[in-house]
């Protein structure tokens, strides 16, 4: 049996370990080798890379993608997209989503991994359809979580619907790194029994130390693709190591196309880069450790550190046990949303507030109110009616698809950004991250004006 690999070093690994601060210049020298290595795909765009390009790296994310595409001629390029939220945290109108998907494929993406934080498939359907219209491959992802409503049957049903919507492959996305080997085995088996002809990809993180075991059991259950990172930027909050997984799976008799000499070259290339980030402090050794607290509390590692930070800021670390007990209660009240961005932050803030205010739901954030109103989609399970009443009063939650209530976004954005935008891609950057994109486009214009002046003087 054959197992294929998606390499994450250019997106998730550097996002998880280096706060997404790797500029194109740092990795351009290894792209041609990566293209020869035999990967199923290179995850290299989307997620936080887009924001980081504009905010910190003074890079045009679209140009980065075009450059990667011109160096990587054979291997599929993959991106991560939060469904109707695109690369942000709010729902965008349909015209924006359509244009964004088309431009992603036009500029070089082959596979778009699409997910919704609540697994509300109404929030991924448009992306799937548009990916196909643009000529791309739609990999639809489950946001993995555990709860009484997240049963194997529920997940199997979800993947059946994904297939009906046109998914080309299914990804199990364990973004919090909480999935154990048995859960992986059972879930992959259940999905394979439901949508057997679609490739299944497992994405996890090494945070709790379970990652490599989880991947092996997933493969045993029939997973076709696994997500890994080249070893020097693997482990901890990143993915399990590519080379170790290749070694172990080959030993177990699986057929793997990856070329060992290329993998060595790739790892040797990134080693000094990793050291630079360690020295500059951007890579904190803390994120590379194995942390098992997440297993005891059933709370993702990142969320746990957020809760601690909030309590420290309010000088209330003595209340941590109460907050840890309150967090699963809030999650239950809200119908068991997966604890992934933005839900993990929203649930965490609410749990802290419930404990410190001395009254549950006395203070409620704008985001939780929108969630209860149905603006993020349908909650996975039923919400507590009394909590809903306390938050919404007599207001009725919406049941339709929230994006249907939004007016088109491109015409206004075009007007607002004006001449600074030289392309539809620029307009989309502005819609996605208005302040950061405007700053970037102004700087770009200054650079261009200076070059123009310089050229004239020279003549
Ligand atoms: Co991830």
């Amino acid at each position: 049996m054959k197992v294929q690999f998606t390499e994450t070093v250019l997106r998730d690994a550097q996002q998880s370990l280096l706060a997404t601060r790797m500029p194109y210049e740092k990795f351009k020298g290894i792209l041609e080798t990566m293209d020869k290595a035999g990967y199923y795909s290179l995850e290299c765009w989307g997620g936080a890379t887009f924001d980081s390009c504009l905010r910190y790296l003074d890079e045009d994310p679209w140009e980065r993608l075009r450059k990667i595409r011109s160096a990587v001629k054979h291997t599929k390029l993959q991106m991560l997209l939060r469904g109707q939220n695109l690369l942000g945290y709010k729902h965008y109108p349909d015209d924006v989503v359509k244009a964004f998907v088309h431009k992603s494929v036009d500029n070089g993406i082959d596979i778009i991994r699409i997910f919704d934080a609540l697994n509300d498939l109404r929030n991924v359907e448009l992306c799937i359809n548009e990916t196909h219209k643009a000529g791309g491959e739609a990999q639809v992802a489950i946001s993995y979580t555990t709860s009484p409503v997240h049963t194997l049957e529920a997940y199997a049903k979800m993947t059946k619907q994904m297939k009906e919507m046109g998914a080309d492959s299914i990804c199990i996305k364990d973004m919090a790194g909480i999935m154990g080997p048995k859960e992986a085995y059972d879930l992959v088996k259940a999905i394979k029994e439901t949508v057997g002809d679609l490739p299944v990809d497992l994405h996890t993180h090494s945070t709790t130390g379970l990652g490599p075991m989880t991947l092996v059991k997933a493969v045993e259950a029939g997973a076709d693709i696994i997500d890994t990172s080249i070893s020097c930027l693997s482990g901890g909050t990143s993915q399990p190591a590519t080379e170790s997984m290749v070694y172990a799976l080959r030993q177990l008799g699986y057929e793997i196309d990856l070329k060992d000499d290329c993998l060595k070259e790739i790892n040797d290339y990134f080693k000094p880069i990793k050291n630079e980030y360690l020295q500059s402090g951007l890579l904190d050794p803390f994120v590379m450790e194995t942390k098992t607290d997440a297993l005891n509390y059933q709370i993702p590692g990142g969320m746990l550190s957020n809760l601690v930070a909030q309590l420290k800021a309010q000088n209330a670390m003595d209340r941590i046990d109460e907050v840890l007990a309150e967090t699963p209660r809030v999650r239950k009240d809200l119908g068991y949303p997966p604890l992934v961005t933005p839900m993990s932050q929203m649930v965490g803030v609410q749990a802290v507030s419930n404990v410190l205010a001395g009254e549950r739901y006395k203070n409620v954030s704008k985001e939780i109110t929108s969630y209860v109103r149905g603006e993020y989609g349908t909650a996975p399970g039923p919400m507590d009616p009394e909590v809903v009443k306390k938050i919404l009063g007599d207001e009725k939650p919406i049941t339709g698809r929230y994006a249907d209530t939004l007016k088109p976004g491109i015409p206004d954005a075009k007007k607002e950004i004006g001449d600074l935008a030289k392309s539809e891609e620029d307009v989309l950057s502005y819609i996605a991250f208005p302040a950061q994109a405007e700053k970037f486009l102004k700087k770009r214009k200054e650079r261009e004006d200076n070059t123009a002046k310089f050229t004239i003087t020279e003549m």
Side-chain angles (χ1 to χ4, degrees):
M1 225 193 84
K2 196 165 180 161
V3 183
Q4 307 222 66
F5 283 68
T6 291
E7 171 63 52
T8 65
V9 68
L10 304 177
R11 205 287 295 176
D12 204 359
Q14 68 122 340
Q15 180 173 326
S16 303
L17 296 179
L18 311 176
T20 336
R21 301 297 168 77
M22 204 190 283
Y24 172 78
E25 291 300 315
K26 282 255 191 279
F27 61 76
K28 72 171 184 188
I30 197 65
L31 289 174
E32 281 172 28
T33 308
M34 293 182 82
D35 193 20
K36 285 185 218 137
Y39 290 114
Y40 173 74
S41 65
L42 302 179
E43 195 199 31
C44 63
W45 209 65
T49 62
F50 196 97
D51 182 12
S52 178
C53 276
L54 294 168
R55 193 185 297 261
Y56 303 111
L57 303 173
D58 195 23
E59 249 186 74
D60 179 348
W62 301 98
E63 196 181 314
R64 168 184 289 207
L65 174 56
R66 289 190 292 270
K67 286 181 185 162
I68 298 175
R69 180 76 282 175
S70 69
V72 179
K73 300 212 162 48
H74 311 287
T75 313
K76 288 178 182 172
L77 299 182
Q78 186 169 319
M79 73 173 289
L80 180 67
L81 195 69
R82 299 188 183 110
Q84 204 72 26
N85 294 7
L86 297 177
L87 304 172
Y89 304 109
K90 59 165 194 185
H91 281 223
Y92 292 94
D94 288 346
D95 67 325
V96 174
V97 171
K98 283 182 192 170
F100 203 96
V101 167
H102 279 265
K103 286 294 171 190
S104 301
V105 175
D106 291 351
N107 283 282
I109 288 294
D110 299 290
I111 306 173
I112 307 189
R113 177 178 288 170
I114 308 160
F115 75 100
D116 176 64
L118 295 178
N119 292 312
D120 183 335
L121 299 182
R122 295 173 304 173
N123 296 335
V124 300
E125 192 167 20
L126 181 69
C127 287
I128 300 174
N129 294 338
E130 294 304 315
T131 302
H132 288 153
K133 280 187 203 159
E137 228 177 284
Q139 182 179 82
V140 187
I142 293 170
S143 300
Y144 177 77
T145 190
T146 53
S147 88
V149 298
H150 289 91
T151 58
L152 286 178
E153 293 71 35
Y155 279 126
K157 195 175 149 210
M158 207 183 281
T159 50
K160 194 164 170 263
Q161 285 167 340
M162 288 172 173
K163 186 181 176 181
E164 283 161 7
M165 280 183 182
D168 297 299
S169 58
I170 303 286
C171 171
I172 304 166
K173 188 171 164 55
D174 173 27
M175 48 262 275
I178 50 167
M179 180 186 261
K182 182 170 166 28
E183 288 160 313
Y185 187 89
D186 293 346
L187 183 54
V188 171
K189 230 177 168 71
I191 293 174
K192 275 283 166 186
E193 276 161 17
T194 316
V195 292
D197 49 334
L198 287 189
V200 172
D201 179 321
L202 189 75
H203 175 91
T204 186
H205 290 254
S206 273
T207 326
T208 61
L210 295 176
M213 295 178 253
T214 302
L215 290 183
V216 168
K217 291 306 278 184
V219 167
E220 281 181 13
D224 304 86
I225 311 158
I226 54 173
D227 284 17
T228 58
S229 172
I230 201 75
S231 56
C232 73
L233 288 170
S234 72
T237 53
S238 175
Q239 272 70 51
T242 308
E243 301 96 303
S244 323
M245 290 307 303
V246 169
Y247 189 93
L249 290 173
R250 273 201 189 126
Q251 206 170 58
L252 290 167
Y254 293 94
E255 187 194 323
I256 290 159
D257 286 341
L258 283 167
K259 296 193 183 80
D260 295 329
D261 54 338
C262 288
L263 295 184
K264 183 179 182 316
E265 205 180 318
I266 297 164
N267 196 38
D268 287 345
Y269 180 90
F270 281 108
K271 274 181 196 166
I273 295 175
K274 173 195 179 172
N275 284 334
E276 274 172 44
Y277 282 95
L278 268 173
Q279 264 145 28
S280 72
L282 261 175
L283 173 52
D284 183 345
F286 182 77
V287 298
M288 309 203 74
E289 290 167 7
T290 299
K291 292 189 198 65
T292 52
D293 284 344
L295 300 176
N296 299 329
Y297 299 122
Q298 289 291 310
I299 289 174
M303 184 175 174
L304 199 57
S305 20
N306 270 338
L307 290 175
V308 169
Q310 277 185 64
L311 287 172
K312 276 190 180 152
Q314 307 202 45
N315 234 336
M317 257 313 275
D318 55 321
R319 314 291 296 272
I320 183 75
D321 287 336
E322 289 167 79
V323 169
L324 288 173
E326 175 65 5
T327 303
R329 284 200 288 265
V330 171
R331 187 168 171 244
K332 181 168 185 271
D333 293 341
L334 299 178
Y336 298 106
L339 293 178
V340 300
T341 305
M343 290 313 305
S344 49
Q345 290 84 342
M346 286 155 59
V347 168
V349 167
Q350 193 60 50
V352 170
S353 161
N354 284 0
V355 168
L356 297 188
E359 182 191 326
R360 305 188 77 223
Y361 304 100
K362 186 179 176 199
N363 306 313
V364 176
S365 68
K366 177 171 118 262
E367 289 81 9
I368 289 281
T369 308
S370 308
Y371 170 86
V372 174
R373 214 182 263 142
E375 292 178 6
Y376 288 79
T378 306
M383 289 192 261
D384 185 307
E386 275 177 33
V387 171
V388 173
K389 187 144 188 19
K390 180 146 190 188
I391 294 173
L392 291 190
D394 291 331
E395 195 189 335
K396 286 269 164 292
I398 65 162
T399 52
R401 178 179 173 273
Y402 181 60
D404 291 339
T405 67
L406 303 173
K407 68 175 184 103
I410 293 178
D412 284 354
K414 265 190 182 150
K415 258 183 245 153
E416 280 169 41
I417 194 67
D419 292 348
L420 279 177
K422 300 282 177 230
S423 61
E424 197 173 343
E425 283 84 345
D426 289 344
V427 176
L428 291 168
S429 297
Y430 175 71
I431 293 173
F433 298 99
Q436 287 71 32
E438 193 174 348
K439 201 178 102 206
F440 168 80
L441 295 173
K442 275 188 181 148
K443 265 199 196 165
R444 186 181 71 182
K445 188 172 185 308
E446 274 165 34
R447 270 197 302 267
E448 282 165 3
D449 291 351
N450 285 338
T451 322
K453 268 185 227 150
F454 184 72
T455 320
I456 292 163
T457 342
E458 283 291 282
M459 281 164 82

